[in-house]
Amino acid sequence: MITDVQLPEPKTPLPGATVNSDQGLLMWISSVDHKQIGIMYMIMTLFYLFVGGLLALLMRVQLMMPENTFLAPDSYNQLFTMHGTTMIFFVLTPAILGMAVYMVPLQIGANEMAFPRLNAFAFWISFFGGLLLYFSFLAGGAPDAGWFSYAPLNQTQYSASPGIDYYCIGLLLSGIGTVSTAANLAVTIITLRTPSMKYKYLPVFVWMVFINAFLILAAFPSLNAALAMLLIDRQLDGHFFNTDAGGSALLWQHLFWLFGHPEVYIVVLPPFGVLSEVFQVYSRKPIFGYPFVVGSGIAISLLAFGVWVHHMFATGMGNTVNSFFAVSSMLIGIPTGVKIFNWLGTMYGGSIRFTTGMLFATAFLVEFTIGGLSGISFAIVPIDWQLTDTYYVVAHLHYVFLGGSLFGLFAGFFYWFPKISGRMYSETLGKWFFWLFMIGFNMTFFMQHILGIIGMPRRVYTYPNLAGYSLLNLISSLGAFLMGGSMLIFLYLLYDAIKRGKRAGDNPWDGYTFEWLTSSPPALKNFTILPPVYSFRPVHDLNHPEIGDYQKSDEEKYGTKDTD
């Protein structure tokens, strides 16, 4: 029998909880409300997405034709370094944090994060870390050694401008913010869940954020230590990575990739959680194999720390080391594949609604699988030796980060847009945006698989007029501009929805989790009362008691019942 649970009032007012909308911009700057901070993360992400995208378009203009002189070599090096750094650290990472900060308290039935002030501190220090990185353009030159900043190219004898110093400080500040938010999310999930929400009833998105928090706490210290050591090398004549003074360039690669490969899963695990919510709601079915979706997420987080050397096969580590990391790199494909089959199983037999969010989720299955398969090819050492540092790597990376993480984030954005904004968006505009973005994406990056296979190296500012190079680069550049054009439609969609969109109901998609129990957008205090939780679909149980999951056995509830 379902009875409501009265949520206790906070014993002391939350910091900033008394400010009202009359304070305008000050309300946002001084806010510690998790929803406002989540929105600020998303606005920051959108800003840097356009900046990083603009840098990419300038690079594609340069590469549109052979022997082009649109950009000088030094300028090109700065642009591709800033593009990669921006997209990894100031688009994808804050996007997943923003979505988590906004949604996790709502989904677990809490009224705030565990540490509201720490939440605000983490956002602002990340934001100013990005500004400091871009200030390098005005301070003598941006970093120019790639987003991975390999030694010894990151040393002063190869990069004398202060750009790499700004890279170190900017990423250190951003890293402090990321680690702070991860700790805050983990404590929030452990301590602030509504009393009846056991771990086996956590929404899949919350599970992925929870796992991801520990992944961040374990991975980011390696990067932060490497950045501090690099700063000591450059400012205090240290010898950690300076090969001229006896330092080790390989040490940098070990420290960087010990962070760098888990970072791939840091920015894709929360989108995995988003997709699990989107597939089940738009298929009108519970997620197929809940324990396997969660368990495979845990397996991915553990295996993520055993594969970093596959980025270093070409450095001459020896057959024993290469063989170990080749096997571990192939193993990580198994739990990832489990999730793909779970999502397909969720869609199978469902009553599917192809909204814009569902289109992005479905496209994710195709694009991310392509990225995953090209990733497995790098686990085969001879193929890695042949293709490393070619455009094949660029294609693989973008199919994982854009076709995987960004498509997943767009699916979540359109899924939760009515809840966050209180407005419905135009599905017509949304589908125009989806199709143009998806076509442009594949034009841009699928061609780069072929460019890599026929031998075009990456990180080059121009190329000779060899057979195939010109046409494939031209198609790739046109695809990039198509993606850029689609983003203008996305901006207009946002403007149209906020200005003219219909008011959204509290639960326009008939969603399953607690965020759909609040008003759209949610009030300052998320909840006053909540029903008890008997499954991972508590709102579905409440709205459809005749078929509620609480009446089912665990095997039926979690999609593990043997039907033979």
Side-chain angles (χ1 to χ4, degrees):
M1 179 179 177
I2 293 180
T3 55
D4 291 341
V5 174
Q6 189 77 29
L7 292 185
E9 286 283 351
K11 292 181 179 176
T12 56
L14 295 175
T18 56
V19 296
N20 58 51
S21 58
D22 295 337
Q23 293 180 268
L25 186 60
L26 179 61
M27 178 193 71
W28 288 89
I29 293 173
S30 62
S31 177
V32 293
D33 177 69
H34 73 98
K35 299 178 291 294
Q36 288 182 316
I37 292 172
I39 290 171
M40 288 193 287
Y41 265 117
M42 294 177 208
I43 293 171
M44 168 184 163
T45 296
L46 195 59
F47 169 74
Y48 282 117
L49 178 62
F50 274 88
V51 172
L54 180 62
L55 298 178
L57 289 181
L58 291 173
M59 291 158 56
R60 287 314 314 175
V61 170
Q62 169 65 20
L63 296 173
M64 189 177 285
M65 60 187 71
E67 300 172 357
N68 197 357
T69 57
F70 175 71
L71 291 174
D74 289 346
S75 301
Y76 185 86
N77 287 345
Q78 293 179 35
L79 291 191
F80 88 73
T81 299
M82 290 296 285
H83 166 72
T85 307
T86 300
M87 299 304 268
I88 301 289
F89 294 100
F90 298 102
V91 175
L92 293 179
T93 304
I96 60 115
L97 295 179
M99 208 165 266
V101 161
Y102 193 106
M103 284 299 161
V104 164
L106 288 167
Q107 288 202 329
I108 64 174
N111 282 322
E112 246 309 340
M113 295 282 286
F115 307 112
R117 286 193 180 95
L118 181 65
N119 196 24
F121 166 79
F123 165 76
W124 286 110
I125 198 169
S126 297
F127 176 73
F128 284 113
L131 290 186
L132 195 62
L133 178 69
Y134 271 85
F135 182 73
S136 63
F137 277 113
L138 305 176
D144 55 1
W147 77 274
F148 33 76
S149 199
Y150 275 168
L153 297 178
N154 56 19
Q155 299 294 304
T156 51
Q157 63 266 39
Y158 296 100
S159 183
S161 77
I164 291 180
D165 302 298
Y166 282 96
Y167 167 93
C168 292
I169 299 170
L171 296 197
L172 271 171
L173 294 178
S174 167
I176 291 168
T178 302
V179 169
S180 302
T181 302
N184 205 352
L185 284 165
V187 175
T188 300
I189 294 168
I190 292 170
T191 62
L192 295 186
R193 302 188 319 276
T194 187
S196 56
M197 184 174 277
K198 302 173 183 175
Y199 283 102
K200 66 178 182 178
Y201 298 150
L202 283 181
V204 178
F205 176 69
V206 176
W207 258 116
M208 293 303 116
V209 170
F210 191 45
I211 296 166
N212 207 44
F214 293 100
L215 197 53
I216 289 171
L217 292 174
F220 265 73
S222 175
L223 173 69
N224 291 345
L227 292 169
M229 292 159 73
L230 177 56
L231 207 53
I232 291 171
D233 269 10
R234 291 178 59 87
Q235 295 297 322
L236 302 174
D237 292 328
H239 300 155
F240 292 111
F241 313 119
N242 187 348
T243 51
D244 289 348
S248 169
L250 274 186
L251 176 61
W252 170 267
Q253 289 201 37
H254 279 295
L255 290 172
F256 185 85
W257 289 118
L258 188 56
F259 147 80
H261 200 85
E263 171 70 3
V264 174
Y265 300 103
I266 286 170
V267 298
V268 86
L269 273 177
F272 283 173
V274 168
L275 293 163
S276 299
E277 304 294 338
V278 169
F279 280 126
Q280 60 176 342
V281 169
Y282 289 137
S283 300
R284 314 308 310 145
K285 288 175 61 188
I287 188 76
F288 175 71
Y290 173 101
F292 295 100
V293 177
V294 174
S296 58
I298 296 171
I300 288 171
S301 69
L302 296 175
L303 289 169
F305 288 100
V307 296
W308 83 91
V309 170
H310 83 218
H311 294 273
M312 302 166 61
F313 281 156
T315 61
M317 305 285 291
N319 289 337
T320 304
V321 173
N322 286 353
S323 300
F324 174 84
F325 284 95
V327 171
S328 64
S329 299
M330 288 188 183
L331 279 178
I332 205 166
I334 295 174
T336 309
V338 166
K339 287 186 186 299
I340 298 289
F341 284 111
N342 281 116
W343 294 324
L344 290 173
T346 304
M347 294 172 70
Y348 180 73
S351 177
I352 299 174
R353 290 173 290 174
F354 279 108
T355 62
T356 305
M358 187 63 172
L359 285 173
F360 270 105
T362 308
F364 165 94
L365 293 175
V366 178
E367 313 296 1
F368 187 73
T369 300
I370 294 173
L373 291 175
S374 61
I376 289 175
S377 69
F378 283 115
I380 302 168
V381 179
I383 294 178
D384 180 274
W385 285 342
Q386 186 67 29
L387 293 175
T388 191
D389 280 341
T390 70
Y391 258 84
Y392 191 89
V393 181
V394 181
H396 159 68
L397 182 144
H398 283 87
Y399 267 86
V400 172
F401 280 145
L402 266 67
S405 300
L406 192 60
F407 273 54
L409 288 166
F410 274 135
F413 179 84
F414 284 104
Y415 174 61
W416 279 314
F417 182 82
K419 176 56 59 182
I420 295 171
S421 68
R423 300 282 179 175
M424 300 300 291
Y425 62 86
S426 163
E427 283 289 352
T428 303
L429 287 172
K431 287 172 182 173
W432 269 104
F433 167 59
F434 164 76
W435 285 108
L436 291 178
F437 189 85
M438 194 271 290
I439 293 170
F441 168 78
N442 284 289
M443 283 176 64
T444 305
F445 297 110
F446 194 82
M447 299 300 129
Q448 295 179 4
H449 288 106
I450 306 170
L451 278 168
I453 290 171
I454 64 178
M456 181 168 171
R458 61 173 174 163
R459 308 173 200 144
V460 291
Y461 88 105
T462 189
Y463 54 90
N465 190 14
L466 298 176
Y469 278 24
S470 301
L471 178 61
L472 292 170
N473 272 296
L474 178 62
I475 295 172
S476 187
S477 294
L478 293 176
F481 277 94
L482 188 56
M483 290 172 70
S486 73
M487 289 303 296
L488 297 179
I489 295 178
F490 178 69
L491 277 186
Y492 179 72
L493 178 150
L494 296 181
Y495 172 80
D496 179 69
I498 292 169
K499 286 292 182 185
R500 293 189 285 270
K502 290 192 301 184
R503 290 227 171 253
D506 293 350
N507 192 359
W509 312 126
D510 196 15
Y512 300 155
T513 39
F514 272 151
E515 74 272 26
W516 301 109
L517 206 56
T518 65
S519 60
S520 298
L524 179 63
K525 184 179 180 182
N526 296 336
F527 304 103
T528 302
I529 57 171
L530 282 173
V533 180
Y534 295 117
S535 77
F536 57 86
R537 298 197 299 168
V539 174
H540 177 267
D541 291 343
L542 186 70
N543 292 340
H544 305 281
E546 70 284 1
I547 54 171
D549 290 343
Y550 67 92
Q551 303 180 44
K552 300 176 182 174
S553 66
D554 279 354
E555 288 79 9
E556 291 175 307
K557 200 180 297 179
Y558 294 118
T560 55
K561 184 178 182 181
D562 185 356
T563 56
D564 290 337

